[in-house]
Amino acid sequence: MSAPVYQKTVSAPVNIAVIKYWGKRDVGLNLPSNSSLSVTLSQNDLRTLTTASCSAAFEEDSLWLNGAMESMCESPRLSVCVRELRKSRLELEAKNESLEKIANYKLRVVSENNFPTAAGLASSAAGFAAFAQAICALYELPWTPTELSRVARQGSGSACRSLFGGYVSWEMGEQPTGADSVAVQVAPVEHWPEMRVAILVVSAAKKGVSSTAGMQATVATSSLFAERARNVVPQRMVEMKNAIRARDFASFAQLTMKDSNQFHAVCLDTTPPIFYLNDTSRAIIRAVESINSSVNGYAAAYTFDAGPNAVIYFLEKDSDLVLTTLRSVTQNAEGWEKADFKPVESSEFLNLEPTVIDTISSGVSRVILTRVGDGPQVLPDTESLVDTQGNPKL
Amino acid sequence: MSAPVYQKTVSAPVNIAVIKYWGKRDVGLNLPSNSSLSVTLSQNDLRTLTTASCSAAFEEDSLWLNGAMESMCESPRLSVCVRELRKSRLELEAKNESLEKIANYKLRVVSENNFPTAAGLASSAAGFAAFAQAICALYELPWTPTELSRVARQGSGSACRSLFGGYVSWEMGEQPTGADSVAVQVAPVEHWPEMRVAILVVSAAKKGVSSTAGMQATVATSSLFAERARNVVPQRMVEMKNAIRARDFASFAQLTMKDSNQFHAVCLDTTPPIFYLNDTSRAIIRAVESINSSVNGYAAAYTFDAGPNAVIYFLEKDSDLVLTTLRSVTQNAEGWEKADFKPVESSEFLNLEPTVIDTISSGVSRVILTRVGDGPQVLPDTESLVDTQGNPKL
C-alpha cells in the first residue's frame, strides 16, 4: 500500500496597487520603504490555482509551475516561506498529539494561472499568495490572513496584499524583524463592489529592468525617492483609505493616477533611468484624461506597474462610457468579444488626436475586463491539480 | 531728406542647459525656482542674427521674425525688455548732452535664425538674447552681459544664459525684484574648448505642453519638485561648477544625465503628467549608455529639454567613437554629410538591441554637429538685416 498523500487546493487573486510599492528597506526580509495599497481583482478572470500536497513517499520539495517542474530549494524566496510554514506545523503537531505528523514530509506544490503568462501581467503576487495559502491550508495552521501575509511577503512583497479581497493595505511596519510589516484589509468587496477594471495589455519588445533590481537602484540613486517614501506616501495612504471608506471615486482616481506617475517619476530619476512606460502607455494616459475631461471630473483612473500595461479603474455606472472609449481606441485587441456594455455615442466625448488613437491601437494586443474581487479560496479536492498519488495532472 | 536710421546688428547663440531651469518663483519677473547652468553653442552652426534700428520716421515698434512682421506691443515679454532698455537710454541721454536723442524713436527689430525653426530647437533663448543685445548696442548702453542678463531674463528666462559664451550659470538670486537673478560666466570657451555637441532632432507629431505652462503646473502639483529645487539643484550647481573648472568630463556627464532625467521626472510627477521624452528619446538614452559602457566610463552625456530632441555632449578626443556610434543608428538623418570624423570599428562597442536601433533610426530626422562657442557678437553693418531706410531685407 502506498503512503497517503495529503493535499489542499486554493486559489488566489491578482492585486493591482493604487499606492505603489517601490523600494525595500531590507532586501532579505522584503521590507518596503513605504506602505502601499491595492485593489484585489476578481478570480473569475485572473487567478492562480495551487495545490499543495505532501507525502512520506515524496523525495524532495518540488514545484510545478504552469506544467514545468522547478526545484523549490533553488528559490530562496520559496524556501523561506516553506521553512516558516513547516516550523509552525511542527509546533502545532507538538502541541496536538491527534494531528498527523506531516510537517517533515516533502512538499509537492502544483500551480497554474488561468491567464496567459504571455500577457505580461505581474503574476508573482497571486502565485506567492496561493503558494503560502495552500501550504497554510494543508498544514491547517490557524492563521489569519494578516499572520499569513508576514510569510507571503517574504516570498514576494506584493503577494501579501493578495491574501485579502477588496481593498488592502500593506503597512510597512517599523520593526527590523518585519513582524509588523503585514497586509490589512481596508474594506471588503461588499463595501464598494462597483469598482471595475480594464487591463490593456501592451505588447512590449522586451521586459524592462526586473522590479527587484529596479527598486534597489532607485533607493540607491534617486535623490527624490526618499521624499516620496518619507513624506508623500504616508499622506497618500491616509487619503486613499479615506477615499475608499467614503467610496469617493474622484479622490481615488486622482490619487491613483498621481501615485502611478510618481512611481514612474522616481524610476526616471534613477541612474541609469528606468523606463516602464512607452509611447503606447503615454497615449493611454491621454485617452483616460480625455474620458475624464468629457465628464468634467473623474470616470476613470489609470495605473501602471513595472511594465507598459495599463490598468484602468472605473465604476459600474460609468462602464458604458469608459468601455466604449477604450474599445474605440483598441479595435485590434483580443478580449472585447466577452465585453458586456451598451455603446454610447463616442463623438460626443472623444477628443483624441489621430496619432494618439493609432499609437494605442497598434500597441494594445489584449484587453482583460474584470472587477474588484475576493481573497483566496480553499477549494474542494475536485479542483485539485494532483491525482491521488500526488502526481501533477498535466 | 528722410530721417536718419540708426542701427546695430548682433548675433547671439543657443545655449543648452546641463542643470535644468524648470519652475518660476515669480512668473511676471521670470524668476526661477532654482539656479541653472548651460553650455553656449557655437554660432557657426546655430545662431540668431538680429538688427535693431530706430528712426524718427518709424511709426510703431515692430519686430520681423524670420520674415514675418509681428507687433511688439502684443508681446508683454518683448515690451518689458524694450521699456527697460529705452529708460536706460533716456537716462544716458540726460546725462550726456552729446548723445543723439534716439530713445523715444520707434524701434524696428529684424531677426533671423540660421537654422530651420522646423528643427524644433528651443530658439527663444537665442532670440531674446539677440533682441536685448541688439537694442543695448544700438543704445550704446555701457552694460556688462550680467547687467543685460537681468533684462533678457524678463523676455525669456533661459535667454539670460545666451549673453555669455562658454559655460554659464543663471544664479536664481534671492531678491523679490529679481535684481540678483542674473547670468554669470562659469568659464569661457578657452577654458574647455574641447566640448563638442551632437543634436539629434527627433520628429515629434506635435509639440507638447509649452514650457511656461508646463513648469507652472509642475510647481503647483508635483510633490517632488520642491525637494529638487530646494535641496538637489543647489548641490548639483556646486558639483557642476567644480566639474567644469576641473575639466572633469566624467562628473560633467553624470550630472548632466541625472539632471535631465530628474527634470523629466518632475514633469511626470506633474498633474496631469507632462511627457517630453518619447520612445525615440528613450532609445537614444540607451545608445548613449552603450557608448559609455564600451569605454567603462563616460564618453558621452545626453540631455533633453522640453521636447524629444537629444543633445549629446562629448569631448573632441572621443568624437570618432561617439560620432561613429551615433551615425550608425541614425543613417536616415540629414546632417551627416558635413561631419568630419574618422569612423571606428563599431562592432567592438555597439551592443544595442535591434529594436533600439530601429527606434532611433526611424525617429531621428536630422543631426546637428557643433561645439561650445562664444557669446553674442556685435557685427558690422554689412551684416545688417535692414537697408539704409530701415526696411527689412527679405
Side-chain angles (χ1 to χ4, degrees), chain A residues 50-169:
Chain A
T50 297
T51 298
S53 62
C54 65
S55 166
F58 295 169
E59 289 175 3
E60 56 160 0
D61 288 339
S62 65
L63 175 68
W64 295 74
L65 268 187
N66 294 316
M69 196 184 80
E70 310 198 357
S71 172
M72 222 183 294
C73 42
E74 281 172 24
S75 163
R77 299 236 171 256
L78 288 171
S79 303
V80 74
C81 293
V82 169
R83 199 179 314 129
E84 292 224 20
L85 293 159
R86 194 167 257 154
K87 179 165 154 274
S88 296
R89 171 70 189 186
L90 269 173
E91 290 166 3
L92 210 60
E93 290 174 4
K95 275 190 275 186
N96 184 345
E97 283 289 315
S98 70
L99 285 178
E100 299 281 348
K101 300 284 179 294
I102 62 171
N104 285 320
Y105 291 171
K106 296 297 179 190
L107 286 161
R108 186 173 291 167
V109 181
V110 183
S111 189
E112 273 176 10
N113 296 328
N114 71 341
F115 53 94
T117 309
L121 291 166
S123 52
S124 68
F128 274 97
F131 181 87
Q133 185 74 67
I135 299 174
C136 180
L138 174 69
Y139 286 172
E140 298 178 73
L141 303 179
W143 286 3
T144 63
T146 290
E147 287 167 324
L148 183 58
S149 77
R150 205 175 287 120
V151 172
R153 185 204 76 225
Q154 295 176 65
S156 168
S158 55
C160 71
R161 296 188 311 243
S162 276
L163 293 172
F164 287 97
Y167 304 84
V168 186
S169 71

Side-chain angles (χ1 to χ4, degrees), chain A residues 206 221 223-224 236 258 261-262 265 268-269 271-273 275 277-279 282 285-286 289 302 353, chain B residues 206 221 223-224 232 236 258 261-262 265 268-269 271-273 275 277-279 282 285-286 289 302 353:
Chain A
K206 190 182 166 237
T221 66
S223 45
L224 300 179
R236 286 186 181 168
K258 269 179 177 285
N261 291 328
Q262 186 166 91
L268 180 44
D269 190 46
T271 300
F275 297 104
L277 305 179
N278 65 18
D279 283 353
R282 305 184 322 143
I285 288 174
R286 296 298 173 231
E289 288 171 353
Y302 56 78
E353 290 171 56
Chain B
K206 189 180 165 236
T221 65
S223 46
L224 300 178
V232 181
R236 285 185 181 168
K258 269 178 177 287
N261 290 328
Q262 186 168 91
L268 181 44
D269 190 47
T271 299
F275 297 102
L277 304 179
N278 65 17
D279 283 353
R282 305 185 320 144
I285 288 175
R286 296 298 173 230
E289 287 171 353
Y302 56 78
E353 289 171 57

Side-chain angles (χ1 to χ4, degrees), chain A residues 75-387:
Chain A
S75 163
R77 299 236 171 256
L78 288 171
S79 303
V80 74
C81 293
V82 169
R83 199 179 314 129
E84 292 224 20
L85 293 159
R86 194 167 257 154
K87 179 165 154 274
S88 296
R89 171 70 189 186
L90 269 173
E91 290 166 3
L92 210 60
E93 290 174 4
K95 275 190 275 186
N96 184 345
E97 283 289 315
S98 70
L99 285 178
E100 299 281 348
K101 300 284 179 294
I102 62 171
N104 285 320
Y105 291 171
K106 296 297 179 190
L107 286 161
R108 186 173 291 167
V109 181
V110 183
S111 189
E112 273 176 10
N113 296 328
N114 71 341
F115 53 94
T117 309
L121 291 166
S123 52
S124 68
F128 274 97
F131 181 87
Q133 185 74 67
I135 299 174
C136 180
L138 174 69
Y139 286 172
E140 298 178 73
L141 303 179
W143 286 3
T144 63
T146 290
E147 287 167 324
L148 183 58
S149 77
R150 205 175 287 120
V151 172
R153 185 204 76 225
Q154 295 176 65
S156 168
S158 55
C160 71
R161 296 188 311 243
S162 276
L163 293 172
F164 287 97
Y167 304 84
V168 186
S169 71
W170 173 12
E171 302 297 332
M172 64 178 289
E174 292 174 357
Q175 297 179 32
T177 60
D180 56 349
S181 186
V182 294
V184 178
Q185 190 175 57
V186 175
V189 177
E190 299 69 35
H191 169 72
W192 202 7
E194 298 87 359
M195 186 68 74
R196 296 193 52 172
V197 180
I199 303 173
L200 307 189
V201 179
V202 173
S203 18
K206 190 182 166 237
K207 179 154 164 57
V209 179
S210 87
S211 52
T212 296
M215 61 176 79
Q216 288 325 98
T218 300
V219 171
T221 66
S222 166
S223 45
L224 300 179
F225 175 73
E227 175 68 10
R228 164 171 169 76
R230 266 183 230 147
N231 297 322
V232 181
V233 174
Q235 176 65 24
R236 286 186 181 168
M237 285 294 291
V238 172
E239 292 169 0
M240 185 60 93
K241 288 176 188 175
N242 288 340
I244 290 167
R245 286 173 189 140
R247 298 183 200 92
D248 170 0
F249 187 78
S251 299
F252 173 90
Q254 289 174 74
L255 285 163
T256 294
M257 294 188 282
K258 269 179 177 285
D259 208 67
S260 173
N261 291 328
Q262 186 166 91
F263 151 51
H264 293 282
V266 298
C267 287
L268 180 44
D269 190 46
T270 301
T271 300
I274 301 167
F275 297 104
Y276 290 121
L277 305 179
N278 65 18
D279 283 353
T280 304
S281 317
R282 305 184 322 143
I284 294 168
I285 288 174
R286 296 298 173 231
V288 171
E289 288 171 353
S290 159
I291 293 172
N292 288 335
S293 293
S294 76
V295 298
N296 276 315
Y298 295 90
Y302 56 78
T303 187
F304 296 82
D305 282 336
N309 296 338
V311 176
I312 297 169
Y313 288 106
F314 54 100
L315 292 180
E316 193 78 40
K317 72 178 177 63
D318 295 317
S319 62
D320 290 343
L321 167 67
V322 173
L323 294 177
T324 300
T325 309
L326 295 182
R327 191 175 61 180
S328 74
V329 295
T330 60
Q331 301 274 9
N332 303 325
E334 289 177 55
W336 284 111
E337 58 282 359
K338 285 191 287 182
D340 179 21
F341 65 98
K342 189 163 156 286
V344 299
E345 181 52 63
S346 68
S347 60
E348 287 173 27
F349 56 86
L350 202 62
N351 182 25
L352 286 171
E353 290 171 56
T355 55
V356 169
I357 297 172
D358 289 349
T359 305
I360 300 175
S361 178
S362 62
V364 174
S365 56
R366 173 188 288 268
V367 175
I368 298 168
L369 302 176
T370 185
R371 58 182 68 231
V372 61
D374 285 314
Q377 308 290 322
V378 178
L379 303 176
D381 282 351
T382 50
E383 303 292 320
S384 175
L385 295 171
V386 302
D387 64 21

Side-chain angles (χ1 to χ4, degrees), chain B residues 341-378:
Chain B
F341 66 98
K342 189 164 155 284
V344 299
E345 181 51 66
S346 70
S347 60
E348 286 172 29
F349 56 86
L350 202 63
N351 183 24
L352 286 171
E353 289 171 57
T355 55
V356 170
I357 297 173
D358 290 348
T359 305
I360 300 175
S361 178
S362 62
V364 174
S365 56
R366 174 189 288 266
V367 175
I368 298 168
L369 302 175
T370 186
R371 59 182 67 230
V372 60
D374 286 314
Q377 309 289 321
V378 178

Side-chain angles (χ1 to χ4, degrees), chain B residues 2-7 53-55 57-58 108 381 384-393:
Chain B
S2 59
V5 172
Y6 302 85
Q7 60 163 284
S53 61
C54 65
S55 167
F58 295 170
R108 186 172 293 165
D381 282 350
S384 175
L385 295 172
V386 303
D387 64 20
T388 52
Q389 306 298 308
N391 297 312
K393 298 177 186 168

